[in-house]
């Protein structure tokens, strides 16, 4: 599905790494709509053993349809860390643009990040977060119960 | 990689909410069946600083399948409220998560029509299978949580 809105601007979001670390991410993106190319900068901060590790990088990428591929590379090139994000963008119901995706990490030196997921938003309106009431759906009775004919269940 | 057993993790919605997610899965012939629960984490500070307790919001059955060729896993569940119903579909792959966990499911999820009643818009999620995880019927898993920075 093609996304024809703007993805240019300041994104903010959260990330979780498969190693259990959580953090925040900020992306400042400029989008050349003609070529589809994206350039920008990013700052990711993750908690490691009660201290935080900051990753500052340059961003290069491309948007094709709603698929956003970004490569976040270490700005100082000291750690030679490259984060590759494969995401999708879409307009959100209440306004703003949402980005969800998974990332992989290639690093020549130690990096606390290995790979994980990101959710971020652009121009999200400030609203209170509503939490859904409890919803209970049909309990799972297992494959045996599902396969049982209706008549057999009635007589049981 | 073995998918059966308990999976615990977190989802990050693009619209802001975060929730704890627990799955108990059983796989037969690349078909997945099981139970899920979603508990929303209150926004920080709503109930004071450190007393925020995740609020159980959705429980029920989950179904899915594994693509044997690509390794992709799709899971979905349907939730009915008084007014409407909505489906939530997860799409992801397994990754090595050593030393935090045995393995991790990383992916994204989308919400079908009617999703506004669920407070979810779509986002990403990580689920871990820890070493001590076993099917619910065998033992109750002591879940490790997400490390907070």
């Amino acid at each position: 599905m093609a996304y024809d809105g703007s993805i240019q601007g300041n994104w903010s979001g959260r990330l979780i790494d498969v190693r259990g670390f959580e953090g925040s991410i900020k992306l400042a993106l400029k989008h050349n709509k003609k070529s589809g190319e994206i350039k920008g900068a990013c700052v990711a901060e993750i908690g490691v053993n009660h201290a935080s590790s900051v990753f500052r990088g340059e961003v290069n990428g491309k948007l094709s349809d709603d698929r956003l591929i970004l490569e976040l590379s270490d700005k100082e090139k000291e750690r030679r860390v490259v984060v590759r994000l494969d995401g999708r963008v879409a307009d959100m119901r209440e306004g703003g643009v949402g980005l969800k995706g998974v990332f992989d990490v290639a690093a020549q030196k130690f990096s606390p990040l290995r790979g994980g997921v990101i959710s971020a938003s652009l121009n999200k309106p400030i609203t209170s977060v509503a939490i859904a009431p409890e919803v209970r759906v049909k309990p799972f009775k297992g494959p045996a119960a599902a396969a049982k004919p209706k008549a057999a269940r009635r007589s049981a | 990689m073995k998918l059966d057993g308990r999976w615990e993790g977190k989802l990050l919605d693009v619209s802001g909410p975060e929730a704890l997610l627990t799955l108990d899965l059983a796989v037969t012939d690349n078909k997945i069946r099981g139970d899920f629960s979603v508990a929303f984490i209150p926004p920080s500070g709503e109930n004071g600083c450190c007393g925020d307790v995740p609020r159980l919001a959705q429980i029920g059955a989950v179904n899915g399948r594994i693509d044997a060729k690509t390794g992709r896993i799709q899971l979905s569940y349907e939730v009915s409220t008084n007014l409407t119903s909505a489906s939530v579909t997860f799409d992801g792959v397994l990754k090595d998560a050593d030393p935090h966990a045995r393995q991790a499911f990383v992916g994204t999820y989308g919400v079908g029509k009617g999703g506004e009643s669920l407070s979810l818009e779509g986002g990403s999620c990580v689920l871990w299978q820890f070493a001590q995880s076993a099917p619910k019927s065998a033992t109750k898993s002591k879940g490790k949580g997400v490390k907070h920075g």
Side-chain angles (χ1 to χ4, degrees), chain A residues 38-117:
Chain A
I38 295 159
K39 287 192 179 296
C42 75
V43 181
E45 192 170 347
I46 61 163
V48 183
N49 299 328
H50 305 292
S52 58
S53 171
V54 180
F55 172 89
R56 290 173 204 280
E58 294 167 351
V59 179
N60 288 287
K62 200 152 193 168
L63 176 71
S64 78
D65 294 333
D66 66 338
R67 191 173 181 201
L68 181 63
I69 304 285
L70 295 180
E71 204 171 88
L72 288 54
S73 49
D74 194 14
K75 206 172 184 180
E76 283 87 27
K77 312 281 184 197
E78 283 169 5
R79 289 185 286 184
R80 293 177 188 171
V81 178
V82 177
V83 177
R84 193 172 184 277
L85 170 68
D86 186 347
R88 303 241 172 222
V89 291
D91 284 329
M92 295 193 287
R93 283 192 297 263
E94 305 290 330
V97 189
L99 162 66
K100 58 183 181 183
V102 298
F103 67 89
D104 279 307
V105 178
Q108 286 190 3
K109 291 189 178 176
F110 171 77
S111 164
L113 292 175
R114 181 187 289 171
V117 299

Side-chain angles (χ1 to χ4, degrees), chain A residues 14-22 46-51 86 88 91-94 97-104 114-121 124 129-144 146-147, chain B residues 10 12-18 33-36 40-43 55-61 78-81 95-100 104 106-110 115-126 128 146-149:
Chain A
R14 305 273 303 158
L15 64 88
I16 306 178
D17 190 83
V18 292
R19 285 180 172 166
F21 301 125
E22 273 195 79
I46 61 163
V48 183
N49 299 328
H50 305 292
D86 186 347
R88 303 241 172 222
D91 284 329
M92 295 193 287
R93 283 192 297 263
E94 305 290 330
V97 189
L99 162 66
K100 58 183 181 183
V102 298
F103 67 89
D104 279 307
R114 181 187 289 171
V117 299
I118 285 177
S119 286
S121 61
K124 180 178 171 278
V129 178
I131 291 181
E134 183 175 340
V135 178
R136 188 178 290 259
V137 296
K138 284 177 188 169
F140 177 61
K141 294 197 171 93
Chain B
K10 197 168 181 183
L12 303 173
D13 200 81
V14 293
S15 64
E18 296 181 13
R33 300 199 70 176
D35 298 319
F36 78 93
F40 283 99
I41 301 166
R55 197 179 301 170
L56 183 67
Q58 298 153 19
I59 59 172
E78 201 154 306
V79 178
S80 301
T81 63
K95 267 183 179 288
D96 176 29
D98 186 59
H100 182 61
V106 293
T108 57
Y109 67 92
E116 56 274 12
S117 60
L118 305 179
S119 305
L120 293 175
E121 176 121 11
S124 58
C125 77
V126 175
W128 289 283
V146 172
K147 290 176 195 170
H148 294 275

